[in-house]
Amino acid sequence: FRLQLVRASPSILIATDVHPPITMLELLPQPPPLKSPGVLASALVVILAAIALASPPVVGGASTTSFGSPDVAATSTSTTSSGILREGQIIVEPRWWTRQYPFDPARFTIDGQGSISKDDVYNPDSDLAHEIRTKYDDVGLVYITNTGLTDMADQRALARIIMGTESEYEGGANPRNRNSELANVYDIGAPIEAALAYHHEMTYKSHSIETLGFLCKHAVNRDDVGWSYVSDSVQAHDYIMQTPLGQKLKDKGLCFVRRMTDATKEPTDEADKAKIYNHWQKSWMADDPEEAQKAAEAQGLTVEWVDHPEQGRLMLTKYYKSAFEYVPSLDRNIMVTSIADDGEWFDNWPGIMDVPQEERPLEMFFGDDEPFTLEEKQAWTDAYDRYGIPLKWQEGDVAVLDNMKYAHGRPGIHILPGEQRELGVVLGKHYDLHQHREDKWTESDNMLPKSVE
């Protein structure tokens, strides 16, 4: 466990940056100063005991009680009566994974043993290329580690064995740029301190991408710091459909709201700059409002312009769609949306985290404009967390995933002096989203959960 102690009052410490999160711990009515070694040791004993009680038992590396069943609420004094939120919780708290792989990692992992050659990378008939295709075709995910590659152009070529043609990041929410130092692939487009909730790339409009690739240039070699995670959305879908939330998403659909700022009114104050997420000019690759609106409408969005006396011309878009997508390779509907398209995306984002929820760049409602409750947002997050898979980055690693079958995300990262963590992003071919098909729900998709029967 990683511990950071913060004094909240003379008699209370808060342990932060731990999994699962620990709330306030009562120590002594009037404790002596913590500089006393004996008191500090006693405090740590209390905290570690609390962590042991709050943490699920782990057997063979597998968490056995991280999450309750869909229709049985957890019975713990650390949660609310809903069994989903802990007492006093005010924001969504992701857990990323249960410390148990949802399926055998050998099915998607390739160990390059530090000796992948140019011929392995650029020969489409190489044994490595064959193994990459075989594993990807099996599960829709491949993670090539210990490659020995130091040139990101080689890593990019490795990813393209699966991805083929790349596409541009048009109409994306993040302020993402191509980076010449990353072999001209895209950067992550988010502050390293920000936690990025599980999400499928660009499913908040009519066009998405088939595949997504990640290339590791620099990694942090310290415990699980800097890991990314992917989640098996097929299993997450099957789980959430047995809950009231899954049925509600199926019945009501979603409304995505985006608020984009005006690049011509870029603030000069650094604190105000930190509150800027993405200008409409960058998102739609157009300086003319009419061109930007035409590009947005071509992707199914409705557009409203708001003239602000200080911030210029703001672009507000709305998009109503299903929370699910029919995936031909699976011949069924699965969930391809998450809370990443809501204001919670910015809960740890420097600058924007201080902006009121209703003014943040992203907001999401049910399709009838009903807002989500915190319990629903946490339950949605838990569904992805149950089937999370860590990508334990090393320099030179490459991962490629099917953007419909897997969500991806990562916790916020706190870099120490001398450490670096840098990934490049490769976007696969454009994919036209068709939303769900009424004839492609499974029998279990249509069953009411036991708790609402």
Side-chain angles (χ1 to χ4, degrees), residues 81 95 121 132 148 154 157 159 191 200-201 227 238 244 279 303 319 324 334 364:
S81 58
R95 299 167 178 84
V121 174
I132 288 173
D154 294 337
H200 299 260
E201 200 67 25
W227 292 2
D238 289 340
H279 298 308
V303 178
Y319 185 53
F324 306 90
I334 63 169
M364 186 168 58

Side-chain angles (χ1 to χ4, degrees), residues 183-229:
N184 205 36
V185 300
Y186 285 102
D187 55 30
I188 294 296
I192 198 166
E193 307 95 328
L196 307 182
Y198 275 123
H199 62 286
H200 299 260
E201 200 67 25
M202 294 191 289
T203 55
Y204 42 76
K205 54 194 185 75
S206 62
H207 301 153
S208 184
I209 54 173
E210 291 183 356
T211 56
L212 187 66
F214 293 100
L215 322 176
C216 182
K217 182 176 183 179
H218 299 294
V220 178
N221 298 313
R222 177 165 52 91
D223 303 321
D224 59 356
V225 177
W227 292 2
S228 295
Y229 295 83

Side-chain angles (χ1 to χ4, degrees), residues 25 44 110 165 199 212 219 250 281 346 352 391 407:
L25 302 171
L44 288 173
I110 296 174
T165 305
H199 62 286
L212 187 66
K250 178 173 177 281
Q281 290 93 333
F346 304 102
I352 305 179
L391 301 179

Side-chain angles (χ1 to χ4, degrees), residues 200 231-241 245-246 249 254 323-325 327 332-338 380 383-384 403-407 441:
H200 299 260
S231 176
D232 183 342
S233 289
V234 178
Q235 294 193 65
H237 167 93
D238 289 340
Y239 175 83
I240 204 167
M241 292 308 291
L245 174 60
L249 288 168
L254 295 170
F324 306 90
E325 176 72 12
V327 179
R332 59 175 294 194
N333 302 322
I334 63 169
M335 176 176 64
V336 295
T337 48
S338 74
W380 204 352
Y384 281 107
N403 187 44
M404 295 295 106
K405 295 179 182 177
Y406 293 89
W441 297 111

Side-chain angles (χ1 to χ4, degrees), residues 54-75:
S55 300
V58 177
V59 180
S63 171
T64 57
T65 59
S66 292
F67 305 90
S69 63
D71 52 2
V72 179
T75 55

Side-chain angles (χ1 to χ4, degrees), residues 258-267 276 278-284 286-294 297 303-317:
R258 293 170 60 196
R259 302 178 181 93
M260 285 172 277
T261 47
D262 186 347
T264 65
K265 295 294 184 178
E266 179 78 24
I276 298 296
N278 201 6
H279 298 308
W280 56 262
Q281 290 93 333
K282 176 177 286 188
S283 180
W284 298 107
D287 292 326
D288 179 62
E290 290 187 8
E291 289 183 17
Q293 179 166 340
K294 188 178 297 183
E297 290 174 344
V303 178
E304 177 184 348
W305 295 96
V306 179
D307 291 319
H308 192 280
E310 298 175 357
Q311 300 176 19
R313 204 161 193 206
L314 308 181
M315 187 180 192
L316 174 69
T317 68

Side-chain angles (χ1 to χ4, degrees), residues 1-57:
F1 294 99
R2 302 184 307 279
L3 284 179
Q4 178 181 349
L5 306 183
V6 181
R7 180 169 289 288
S9 75
S11 62
I12 295 175
L13 285 180
I14 298 176
T16 65
D17 206 18
V18 299
H19 290 280
I22 306 299
T23 52
M24 293 184 289
L25 302 171
E26 293 287 350
L27 297 177
L28 298 170
Q30 295 293 330
L34 278 179
K35 65 183 179 181
S36 167
V39 173
L40 180 57
S42 299
L44 288 173
V45 168
V46 172
I47 292 167
L48 291 172
I51 291 172
L53 289 172
S55 300

Side-chain angles (χ1 to χ4, degrees), residues 204 252-258 302 317-323 341-342 362-370 372:
Y204 42 76
K252 292 192 172 190
L254 295 170
C255 173
F256 298 89
V257 178
R258 293 170 60 196
T302 61
T317 68
K318 284 188 176 183
Y319 185 53
Y320 291 87
K321 71 180 293 288
S322 172
D341 294 301
D342 199 10
L362 303 179
E363 195 168 12
M364 186 168 58
F365 302 89
F366 286 106
D368 61 357
D369 295 329
E370 176 192 346
F372 284 85

